[in-house]
Amino acid sequence: MMTIVQILIWGILIYFVLLHLVYLLLIFLGAAQIRHYQGAITFTEFDRISKSDLSMPVSMIIPAHNEAVIIVSTVENALKLNYPAHEVIVVDDGSTDDTVAVLREHFGLRRVDKHGRKQVETREVTAVYESAEHPNLTVAVKENGRRADAINAGAALSRYPLLCVIDADCVLETDGLLHMARPFLADSNLAAAAGVVRPSNGLSVENGTITRRGLPRTLLGMNQEVEYARSFQWARTGLSRLRSMLCISGALLLIKKSVFDAAGGPWPQSITDDMEFAIRINGHIYDRRNGGRSSIAYAPDAVCYTEVPETLPLYASQRNRWQRGSLQSIFRHWRMLFNPRYGMTGVFGLPFFLFFEALAPLVELMAYTLAIILLVAGLASLKEILILLLLAYMTGVFLTLLAVLINESSRWRTASWREFWKMIAAIFLDHLGFHQFRLVCSLVGTFQYVFHRRHDLGAKMERLAPSTAL
């Protein structure tokens, strides 16, 4: 019995040491990547891109389902982006509210006879509208088929070689598209680019233009502000440096239309279509038939803001769905795991997400359970257990502090010292309840996916009006 317990103790200890070493490696790689990126960039370069006729035109696709409250603000923001040539395609995915009516009234839409060329089968598009005031705005209405199906329908209607996918609650910085498109000018083999996603709760927007950048007002919102900063600094940037970029947020993706079509578009049955599609894009990139020269870039100064849940039930539903979606995506592409044919994605990226992201809640549960068993059996004292918990807490705080401080060195740092210290306080509070709540949500999601094969999308976010949510 003692031997089994010792094996479990050493196994869990080695796991957490490796976990934090990998996170530390990703943070340092990410910091080096951002420093290199910022050193190579000039502001006059973006001025040239914004005025050049050679800049690749972009088709922005915005899937929407029951988004009447916020859709006008999102579309206004997309139309006002600083970019030489871009179109905005809103795809209403079978809304049962006034999403289409609001768009028709605000933008003066008129119905047109327009058909795209489908590379992927989608639910039927029942109507297409265009605006006389905004010639680059198209609104398509289709039968409900989930977000991925709406994106595929939008791609069929698109005219341009680059596709930018954002969510219906997203707001981009005015020069966001310029920063996303820059890597494509530097590398003709680039397949896709991802940017930074931050919470929009606390943001002020007037007529589609950001007027003030603030932090969320609730503890739960602040916790997610810290979580997003941590995630995008150590996961996105570090993994991009290792050519194993699998965490492309569905809130902001720029991809060549040719790669989009070749990869088959997002999978409509996916629980989290962005992660599943990111894995498939990587599979396409590393396919020897495509030469293996393509890559996915990360633009650390292309910022998109998205609404995050600020009530526990919606937050729990979201984290449950993310966990189920991660497991579904990884298991669907299990042949890529440890497969050198898929380069660093197969050797490092997918194993990282499986063992250090998807399965981490199970290992942490084992650690808590083992600690209780050791305490009850008298094999460890309460003091020893508390010291281990304190070490785990301080390690988590240290890594998050590093990631947030890297973020504070960018031009997207907090607006004031007061907000900076709010971020620091949120870091210390993260492991004092919020982390454990995420753990429970992930564990429930794991058991629901494995034993009940749950594939639904969970509760839908309750949108707030732009004046309050943004």
Side-chain angles (χ1 to χ4, degrees), residues 17-80:
V17 169
L18 286 174
L19 171 70
H20 289 97
L21 285 176
V22 170
Y23 281 163
L24 191 62
L25 170 67
L26 291 178
I27 287 174
F28 283 125
L29 286 175
Q33 180 81 348
I34 290 174
R35 185 176 180 181
H36 173 76
Y37 181 90
Q38 291 175 340
I41 212 166
T42 62
F43 289 105
T44 56
E45 183 178 6
F46 292 110
D47 187 57
R48 288 199 309 271
I49 297 173
S50 67
K51 297 175 181 177
S52 174
D53 294 332
L54 298 178
S55 298
M56 297 174 70
V58 175
S59 296
M60 295 190 68
I61 301 173
I62 307 175
H65 177 73
N66 291 345
E67 306 286 4
V69 176
I70 49 91
I71 192 62
V72 168
S73 179
T74 301
V75 175
E76 285 182 333
N77 171 260
L79 290 171
K80 291 181 179 180

Side-chain angles (χ1 to χ4, degrees), residues 389-436:
L389 289 175
L390 180 62
L391 285 173
Y393 169 77
M394 293 307 298
T395 304
V397 167
F398 172 72
L399 290 174
T400 305
L401 271 173
L402 276 181
V404 169
L405 290 175
I406 292 172
N407 184 72
E408 287 297 307
S409 68
S410 73
R411 66 188 182 114
W412 305 119
R413 57 185 176 271
T414 47
S416 65
W417 280 106
R418 181 174 177 272
E419 291 191 341
F420 172 76
W421 290 116
K422 280 179 65 178
M423 287 276 287
I424 300 301
I427 293 172
F428 282 91
L429 290 173
D430 180 48
H431 284 264
L432 298 177
F434 291 109
H435 174 79
Q436 289 74 17

